[in-house]
Amino acid sequence: MSFLSRAAAPAWPLAAPADDGPGNPWFSWRYVQDNADEILTNLQFHVGLTARAVIIALIVALPLAIVSYWWRPLTGPILALSGVLYTIPSLALLALLAPAVGTTTDTAVLIALVLYALLVLVRNSLAGLAGVPGEVRDAAAGMGYGRFGRLWRIELPLALPGILTGLRLATVSTVALVTVGALIGRGGLGDMILGGFRNNFYKAEIMTGTILCVGLALVLDLLLAGLGRVLTPWARERKS
């Protein structure tokens, strides 16, 4: 028996549509009302797993980008390693992680999401740091800033637009990738999408999960875009 069969997605109640039309419509308010608690639980799980994965990935990726920025010979190996991790199929990665971390927790999904987010975050953080003008670095050195002081006071703030761009891309892609966790019953809104297929292709369940997943990605992207405008007012002034 495979690890996927042992961790089947939870069965969701199949509420037949009432006033929304006959048959099997693509969207049903009756389904949403009857399953509001379960939908909210999945949405909260999806948001929590996405947030944890992106935060952990950023904590790992930023030091890797700084190391690549300071010691250029390491740039190739670091980017190559993160690129190789990104190319591993999600199903294969879950299968590789399951024996080590188990199939009944979300740890395997969390590790996979962190690994997939690394490439985007490392590349964009490194691009942001490399985009700091050389004359700015020279001026900071002339003012007596050491390597760490220059990084913290000058380079990282100027690299923020690139870092935040990577953060937005990683967040949106992570929202989508969380749904893969439905294969082991830890997919948040993906559990609803997969559950709809298992419930005789119940369209309302599939569409509700899909709409919420897309909406969540859009909301988080807009929030991060707003955060970027607040944290980088000089970039906004330069564009105007």
Side-chain angles (χ1 to χ4, degrees):
M1 182 180 296
S2 69
F3 80 99
L4 293 178
S5 62
R6 289 200 304 269
W12 289 87
L14 182 59
D19 300 327
D20 296 318
N24 185 18
W26 274 110
F27 187 78
S28 169
W29 280 114
R30 176 68 179 275
Y31 167 79
V32 175
Q33 293 169 356
D34 290 349
N35 300 277
D37 291 339
E38 291 83 359
I39 292 172
L40 182 59
T41 298
N42 274 274
L43 180 60
Q44 290 174 338
F45 179 86
H46 206 112
V47 173
L49 190 57
T50 298
R52 282 184 289 161
V54 173
I55 291 172
I56 294 173
L58 183 62
I59 292 173
V60 175
L62 198 53
L64 289 176
I66 293 172
V67 169
S68 300
Y69 175 63
W70 280 348
W71 293 284
R72 296 305 171 90
L74 295 178
T75 301
I78 289 176
L79 291 179
L81 177 60
S82 58
V84 169
L85 293 174
Y86 191 81
T87 61
I88 300 176
S90 54
L91 182 57
L93 186 56
L94 288 176
L96 292 172
L97 293 171
V101 299
T103 60
T104 59
T105 68
D106 58 0
T107 306
V109 182
L110 179 61
I111 294 174
L113 294 174
V114 170
L115 295 179
Y116 285 137
L118 280 180
L119 178 63
V120 175
L121 288 171
V122 171
R123 281 186 179 275
N124 282 274
S125 299
L126 180 58
L129 289 169
V132 176
E135 57 270 21
V136 174
R137 293 195 297 268
D138 293 340
M143 294 173 63
Y145 284 107
R147 170 174 282 185
F148 287 98
R150 187 169 65 245
L151 174 72
W152 182 252
R153 300 292 298 275
I154 306 296
E155 293 169 330
L156 279 179
L158 291 178
L160 263 181
I163 296 172
L164 289 171
T165 297
L167 187 62
R168 291 175 62 185
L169 292 172
T171 301
V172 171
S173 63
T174 300
V175 170
L177 286 170
V178 169
T179 59
V180 178
L183 295 170
I184 57 174
R186 293 293 184 271
L189 298 172
D191 290 341
M192 295 172 56
I193 297 172
L194 184 59
F197 282 99
R198 288 175 171 169
N199 287 334
N200 298 318
F201 197 68
Y202 189 33
K203 295 178 181 178
E205 189 172 10
I206 297 171
M207 183 57 69
T208 301
T210 302
I211 291 174
L212 288 176
C213 189
V214 173
L216 176 60
L218 290 175
V219 168
L220 292 179
D221 186 56
L222 289 174
L223 288 176
L224 289 174
L227 178 64
R229 291 178 63 85
V230 172
L231 294 179
T232 58
W234 62 87
R236 186 169 65 252
E237 293 173 359
R238 186 167 60 243
K239 288 181 181 179
S240 61

